[in-house]
Amino acid sequence: MTALVELRAARRSRVFPVATAVLGLYLLNALLVSTARDVMAIRVVGHLNVGLGLALLQCGTTLAVCRWYARYASTTLDPLAERARAGLGARGEQR
């Protein structure tokens, strides 16, 4: 397996499912806001209602995913990219 193929596989296997989950949470929040207004208006604590709680949860998950991706990219994807870049450079010198 070449380094470029490994890089693509590593990116697809982790990044796409996480991005799909975050987008799904966003779409679920948008769907609930537009269709279930009574449910979203239920007060949880003080001025915090279900809608605001879900919006804050969305912000928190987005922040957590950004931090996870930065760590994942620096530990997994960057070394694979360096190997792929080195392999492409070595191939170009042989020609």
Side-chain angles (χ1 to χ4, degrees):
M1 185 181 286
T2 67
L4 191 57
V5 172
E6 288 179 44
L7 177 62
R8 286 181 182 165
R11 208 173 119 240
R12 284 185 188 132
S13 69
R14 303 277 185 195
V15 175
F16 288 161
V18 172
T20 302
V22 169
L23 285 174
L25 180 62
Y26 174 76
L27 291 175
L28 176 67
N29 193 10
L31 180 70
L32 287 174
V33 165
S34 65
T35 59
R37 293 180 187 204
D38 295 336
V39 173
M40 298 297 271
I42 295 173
R43 289 190 180 241
V44 178
V45 175
H47 293 293
L48 180 70
N49 60 16
V50 173
L52 184 58
L54 285 175
L56 292 173
L57 178 68
Q58 181 181 344
C59 290
T61 56
T62 302
L63 196 86
V65 166
C66 288
R67 291 186 72 176
W68 167 81
Y69 181 75
R71 199 172 320 125
Y72 178 71
S74 66
T75 59
T76 305
L77 298 179
D78 288 349
L80 288 173
E82 287 297 322
R83 281 194 357 202
R85 194 173 297 126
L88 290 175
R91 240 195 251 166
E93 291 171 5
Q94 290 175 353
R95 288 184 185 181

